[in-house]
Amino acid sequence: MAERRPSSLWGLLIGVALLAAAHPAIADDDPWPAEAYNPAPAEGDVVLPMPCGGAMAFRRVALPSTGVLDDVRVQFGDAQPELGFFSDRRYDVIAGAFGDPAVPGTRYFLIGKYEVTRAQWAALSGDACPDPGMRQRVPQTEISWFDVVSFANRYSQWLLAHARDALPAESGTPGFLRLPTEDEWEYAARGGMTVSSENFLAARFPMPEGAADYIWYQGTGSAEGRLHPVGLLKPNPLGLYDILGNAAEMMLESFRLNRRGRLHGQAGGFIARGGDYNTPLSQIRTGMRVEMPYYAAGAATATESRQLGFRLVVAAPVVTSPEKLTEIEKAWEAMPSSGEAPSTARREDAALGTLDRLADHAGDETVRTQLRDAGRSIREALVDRNDARDRTIRLLINVGALLGNKLRVDHQRLLAVQRAIEGVARPALRQLQARRQDPQIRKAIADAIARIGEMEGQRDGLEDTVKTSRETYVDTVLSTSSDYSDEVITAQLPALKAELHARGSDALLPYVDIFVQHMRRMRDNSAADPQSLIDDLTRGGGGAHGPPGPA
C-alpha cells in the first residue's frame, strides 16, 4: 500500500488540474471586472469586497436627524381599499445607523444597489470560485429565508476578518449585513429624501421614460417570463436597480396584517416586497406586501421560489460604546423637556420634578404607582408634542424660504415689466406719435397703445402679487419667530438643509438662512421695520445669483 501512494497522489493531482482546466475559477487575488458587480457605476457608490475577488455595491439611504434619539415619522403603505388589510396607509418611524460628520443633519444606512446575484452567492458558498459572467449576474433565487440569513452572517464574518476597515463604523464599531426591515426597504424604494412628498406617496417612484425602462414585469414587452441580469434598466431616484420587479425581495421581519393605520399584533410568515418578473405591472406598487410561509406547505422543507431573491443592508448596533450609551441616556433625559421659551421649560420641568418627588415619598404603593404612571404619560405626551413641533418648524422654515424666493422672483418680474414700459414701450410710442401725420403710422400707434395697456395690466397684477407675497412673508416671519424659540429653530436647520439638498433644492438654502436671520431680527427687536426684511430679499434688482445676505 505504501508503494502505491505516490502513484495515487500523482493521479489525484493530475485529475484536479484537468478539472480546473475544464472549469476555470477566479482566484482570490484576481478581482472581478467591475461590470460583474456594479454594471452601472455612479458617484456615491459604496463597494465592499467579497471572497474570490468579488464585490458588492451599496447606496447610502440618508434620513434627517438632529440627535442620537431622533427618528423620522414616515407614511408607508398603499391607498388600495380592497387590499387595505394587507397594505393600508400607516405611519411609522425610521432612523439611520451611521452618522457622518461631513453630512450634518443626517444619519444613514447602506442598502444593496442591486439584488444579490448568483455569482455573489457562489463566492460565499465555500465551493470553487465562480466565473462572474453575464449568466451569473441574474438574481440568486430558489433559496430559503434561512439560507439568506446564513449568507448575511457569513458575509459579515468574512468582512470583519478580511476587510474590517471597508465597513462603515459607528463609534468605532463596524457595521454588519442583514436583510432590510420592510420600512427600510420601502423608504429606499420610494426614493427617500431625494423625492418630493407627492412622489414619495405615489404608487411607484417617478418613471419619466415609462415603467418598461425601470421594471421587469409580466409581459412580452418586458420580462417575457424570466429573470434578467441586474442593472440593465434604469434606477430609482436613490440609484437602486430592480427594486421593483425582476425578483421579489425578502424582508427581515415577519408579516403582520394592517389594522387600519397600524400593524396587527399577530406575526406570521416572512415578507416579500417589490413584485417579480411574473407580476402584472398593474399589481407592482411600492407599498404592496406579500406574506410567504417560512416552510413549504405539505413538505418538510423551507420555502424556496424561482421568483424570490433579496438584497442586503449594512446596519450597526445601537449601543456601540460606553460613550454612546452616555449620549443616549442624556438624550433620553432631555426628550420631555419643552425646548420652548426658558420660562415654559422651567415650569414643565419643575412640575415633572414635583410629581417624581411625590411618587418617591408616597406611602401607599397604589398611589406611588399611579403617580409614576402619570409622570410617564406626561413625558410621553411631551415627546410626541416635541416631535410634531420639530416637523412643523422644518415645514414653516421651508415655506418661509419658498416665500422669500417667490417674493424676490415676483419683484424682479415687476421691475422688468416696469422697465419695459418706461424704458422701451413709452419711448417707442412717443416716436410713433411724432409721425402721426403719416396714415400708415396710425395703426401702429393704436397697436402700441393697446400693447402698453396690456403691459400696465400685467404690471398692476404683479404689484398685487408682490404685495401679497410681502404680507405673507412678513406674517410668516413674525408668527414663526413668536411661536418658537431660536434654540429649537436652530436645532432643525441641519436636517432641513439635508432634505433640501437631497431633493436637489440647493437654490433654496440661501433663503433658509435669510428667513432664520429675519426671525432673529424680529424677535430681538420687535420694533424692527418689516420693510427692511423685504429690502434684504429685493436689494440688487434683477440679480441672477440668488439673494443678497441680510444687512
Side-chain angles (χ1 to χ4, degrees):
M1 292 293 292
E3 293 178 356
R4 296 178 60 183
R5 281 182 186 172
S7 175
S8 299
L9 180 59
W10 180 250
L12 177 61
L13 291 173
I14 291 176
V16 170
L18 291 173
L19 181 63
H23 303 280
I26 303 297
D28 280 354
D29 58 356
D30 189 2
W32 293 358
E35 60 267 19
Y37 61 87
N38 194 10
E43 183 180 358
D45 289 346
V46 177
V47 177
L48 299 181
M50 298 188 76
C52 295
M56 189 176 293
F58 294 82
R59 298 288 294 176
R60 276 194 182 201
V61 181
L63 297 108
S65 177
T66 58
V68 66
L69 286 180
D70 196 22
D71 51 24
V72 182
R73 187 170 183 259
V74 180
Q75 190 176 42
F76 294 111
D78 208 5
Q80 286 187 294
E82 68 276 13
L83 294 174
F85 49 86
F86 274 125
S87 56
D88 197 22
R89 296 282 193 202
R90 63 180 175 85
Y91 282 99
D92 215 327
V93 291
I94 183 174
F98 304 99
D100 184 351
V103 190
T106 66
R107 290 178 65 80
Y108 72 93
F109 62 91
L110 298 180
I111 190 168
K113 184 175 178 178
Y114 313 95
E115 293 164 333
V116 173
T117 65
R118 291 175 182 172
Q120 290 167 329
W121 181 271
L124 275 162
S125 67
D127 299 328
C129 289
D131 175 7
M134 183 63 82
R135 291 185 177 180
Q136 300 303 307
R137 229 176 80 188
V138 299
Q140 177 67 49
T141 61
E142 299 182 281
I143 47 176
S144 73
W145 184 88
F146 303 99
D147 294 332
V148 173
V149 171
S150 177
F151 175 88
N153 174 52
R154 294 198 305 274
Y155 192 10
S156 296
Q157 292 191 13
W158 186 91
L159 284 167
L160 290 170
H162 298 90
R164 177 181 290 258
D165 291 342
L167 286 165
E170 178 67 12
S171 302
T173 300
F176 60 91
L177 292 102
R178 58 165 169 77
L179 281 169
T181 68
E182 66 166 339
D183 286 353
E184 289 170 342
W185 183 94
E186 185 171 339
Y187 185 82
R190 291 183 179 276
M193 289 202 306
T194 66
V195 298
S196 67
S197 298
E198 179 183 6
N199 286 330
F200 187 90
L201 292 176
R204 295 187 284 266
F205 59 83
M207 302 179 184
E209 294 84 0
D213 282 353
Y214 296 83
I215 307 174
W216 294 116
Y217 56 86
Q218 183 190 73
T220 55
S222 183
E224 298 183 333
R226 60 187 177 87
L227 286 168
H228 288 262
V230 301
L232 295 182
L233 300 181
K234 297 182 183 297
N236 86 337
L238 274 176
L240 305 177
Y241 289 79
D242 304 312
I243 193 76
L244 299 179
N246 213 20
E249 300 181 14
M250 304 182 199
M251 302 295 108
L252 178 65
E253 66 265 57
S254 298
F255 178 88
R256 292 189 288 163
L257 290 170
N258 189 295
R259 194 181 182 276
R260 291 199 175 276
R262 67 170 175 84
L263 294 179
H264 184 256
Q266 180 185 353
F270 66 90
I271 303 165
R273 302 292 300 261
D276 59 61
Y277 63 89
N278 270 335
T279 306
L281 179 60
S282 61
Q283 296 180 17
I284 295 183
R285 303 169 66 91
T286 311
M288 190 58 199
R289 311 160 64 238
V290 176
E291 180 183 19
M292 300 292 294
Y294 286 104
Y295 299 95
T301 58
T303 297
E304 299 177 0
S305 168
R306 180 168 174 75
Q307 289 82 37
L308 190 58
F310 70 103
R311 72 180 72 216
L312 296 176
V313 303
V314 182
V318 175
V319 182
T320 51
S321 67
E323 294 76 16
K324 185 66 175 290
L325 179 58
T326 299
E327 182 184 1
I328 292 170
E329 289 174 341
K330 290 180 178 178
W332 168 262
E333 293 296 330
M335 283 181 71
S337 178
S338 167
E340 300 295 340
S343 59
T344 302
R346 284 195 297 270
R347 287 196 302 270
E348 291 181 346
D349 291 343
L352 287 170
T354 300
L355 195 59
D356 291 340
R357 287 192 297 274
L358 289 172
D360 290 340
H361 293 90
D364 186 282
E365 181 64 29
T366 300
V367 173
R368 184 183 304 116
T369 299
Q370 290 175 341
L371 289 172
R372 285 174 177 166
D373 286 345
R376 183 164 48 250
S377 297
I378 292 172
R379 286 182 168 89
E380 290 172 354
L382 286 174
V383 170
D384 289 341
R385 182 200 65 184
N386 291 349
D387 287 345
R389 175 206 62 198
D390 292 345
R391 291 192 297 272
T392 300
I393 288 172
R394 289 198 292 267
L395 177 61
L396 287 171
I397 298 174
N398 192 8
V399 168
L402 288 167
L403 290 171
N405 181 43
K406 183 178 186 302
L407 173 57
R408 181 172 174 82
V409 170
D410 290 342
H411 186 264
Q412 290 173 347
R413 291 174 61 200
L414 175 59
L415 291 180
V417 171
Q418 289 174 335
R419 285 194 293 263
I421 293 173
E422 302 301 333
V424 178
R426 290 195 183 281
L429 175 60
R430 287 193 291 269
Q431 292 178 4
L432 290 172
Q433 288 173 331
R435 300 167 54 196
R436 69 178 64 193
Q437 296 81 2
D438 186 341
Q440 296 181 353
I441 297 298
R442 292 174 185 170
K443 184 178 185 307
I445 291 174
D447 291 343
I449 292 174
R451 176 59 181 151
I452 290 174
E454 293 174 359
M455 295 173 70
E456 288 176 338
Q458 184 181 9
R459 177 201 61 198
D460 294 344
L462 282 170
E463 286 177 343
D464 291 340
T465 298
V466 168
K467 180 176 180 293
T468 302
S469 295
R470 289 167 53 133
E471 292 172 350
T472 306
Y473 182 79
V474 172
D475 286 347
T476 305
V477 169
L478 292 172
S479 61
T480 308
S481 63
S482 63
D483 289 343
Y484 303 104
S485 69
D486 186 59
E487 180 182 2
V488 297
I489 289 171
T490 301
Q492 299 308 313
L493 289 180
L496 173 61
K497 290 183 176 181
E499 289 182 77
L500 291 173
H501 176 71
R503 291 201 297 265
S505 299
D506 288 344
L508 282 179
L509 295 179
Y511 296 95
V512 168
D513 291 332
I514 286 181
F515 182 75
V516 171
Q517 291 183 48
H518 284 171
M519 285 194 293
R520 289 171 180 160
R521 186 188 304 175
M522 299 307 292
R523 186 185 301 109
D524 295 340
N525 182 6
S526 58
D529 180 10
Q531 180 59 42
S532 65
L533 311 186
I534 309 307
D535 292 342
D536 286 340
L537 291 163
T538 58
R539 186 186 301 117
H545 301 290

